[in-house]
Amino acid sequence: YKPLKINLGKANGTYFLAMVGIGLDAFVVKAMEEKIRCSRKRIYNNFLKYANYIINIVKLTKDYEFHELFMESLRPSDGGGGGFEIAGRYCAKEIIVSNIRHYGGPFKVFPNNSPLNDKFDIRVIRNVATRSEVVLSIIKSLAFYEKYSKNPDFYIKGDRLKISSSIPSLDKNIFYQCDGEFMGTLPVEIEKVSGAITMLVNPSLFPAQTVGV
């Protein structure tokens, strides 16, 4: 193994390695955290964990009210001075901001992503309001990621983001999570932090970056 500087993300000041989920994803995380705290039963088998997670998504959807999310992608302003300007605006029902390839373990939802990339891969889910639409969206993300990975209607890239409700008064009702841990409510500002941490990695996974290290 050799040392390599890895990029992290930061959401409202909290660092994360894998991803941030906004909307239903975070609602499920919060509900499952509360369920685990109230239960003495623990699941150690990974397959059962993933199956339990998907089942809970389907179950909890009936209790979840989908709100319109509003995301701004920012870039350094042309005038310099350390300021930023809006590069793009997006509306969605669910947003996943990822720093790595996988989501929740074995699911390679972001096949072209890497913690060495300068930008996040962002999955935007736009038109869901019912349980069947949520299930279909999950299937598309998990089973057909290669087909949709280059589709700008599903995936975009960015390194500095602001996400809130399209109705500011509803921010307090919409959750976000980092790396599977419930963090709080909107708004959330997310940025890519280059070379934030040094990790020991297998050189075969990042051959170009570890040569001569």
Side-chain angles (χ1 to χ4, degrees):
Y1 287 82
K2 292 188 176 182
L4 181 67
K5 286 190 177 296
I6 299 292
N7 301 333
L8 297 180
K10 190 159 63 171
N12 283 355
T14 298
Y15 286 94
F16 64 90
L17 172 62
M19 51 95 179
V20 175
I22 302 100
L24 175 65
D25 177 79
F27 178 80
V28 173
V29 165
K30 185 175 186 294
M32 290 187 69
E33 280 188 1
E34 294 170 352
K35 185 177 179 180
I36 290 170
R37 279 198 297 268
C38 297
S39 174
R40 295 182 180 179
K41 186 178 180 180
R42 296 291 184 269
I43 301 175
Y44 297 101
N45 181 283
N46 282 336
F47 175 80
L48 293 179
K49 282 183 182 179
Y50 304 139
N52 185 55
Y53 179 74
I54 293 173
I55 290 169
N56 274 281
I57 288 178
V58 176
K59 284 183 177 179
L60 291 167
T61 302
K62 65 179 177 24
D63 300 321
Y64 183 74
E65 182 179 356
F66 286 92
H67 298 289
E68 193 74 21
L69 303 176
F70 180 65
M71 181 175 75
E72 292 180 335
S73 177
L74 306 177
R75 64 188 176 199
S77 60
D78 293 335
F84 294 90
E85 63 185 18
I86 296 172
R89 291 187 173 96
Y90 308 88
C91 291
K93 300 291 188 180
E94 167 80 5
I95 299 172
I96 304 291
V97 180
S98 181
N99 191 47
I100 62 174
R101 290 190 181 97
H102 293 82
Y103 172 85
F107 307 120
K108 195 186 293 183
V109 177
F110 306 92
N112 302 315
N113 203 4
S114 165
L116 302 181
N117 292 351
D118 294 333
K119 296 183 182 297
F120 299 114
D121 273 24
I122 306 159
R123 173 73 161 96
V124 289
I125 300 172
R126 303 177 192 272
N127 300 313
V128 293
T130 66
R131 181 183 296 191
S132 60
E133 290 171 346
V134 170
V135 172
L136 180 60
S137 177
I138 292 171
I139 292 172
K140 283 182 178 179
S141 294
L142 301 184
F144 304 110
Y145 56 84
E146 291 184 352
K147 177 180 178 181
Y148 293 102
S149 63
K150 295 182 181 179
N151 187 331
D153 289 332
F154 286 81
Y155 294 93
I156 59 177
K157 292 183 179 292
D159 59 3
R160 185 176 290 266
L161 312 163
K162 287 184 178 180
I163 302 172
S164 63
S165 168
S166 59
I167 303 174
S169 62
L170 295 178
D171 277 345
K172 63 182 183 296
N173 299 327
I174 305 173
F175 305 144
Y176 77 95
Q177 59 92 2
C178 293
D179 290 348
E181 182 177 352
F182 172 72
M183 297 303 297
T185 59
L186 298 186
V188 60
E189 296 189 15
I190 304 171
E191 63 178 298
K192 192 89 159 185
V193 184
S194 299
I197 188 172
T198 300
M199 300 182 68
L200 292 176
V201 302
N202 185 335
S204 65
L205 298 177
F206 306 100
Q209 287 78 13
T210 54
V211 171
V213 173

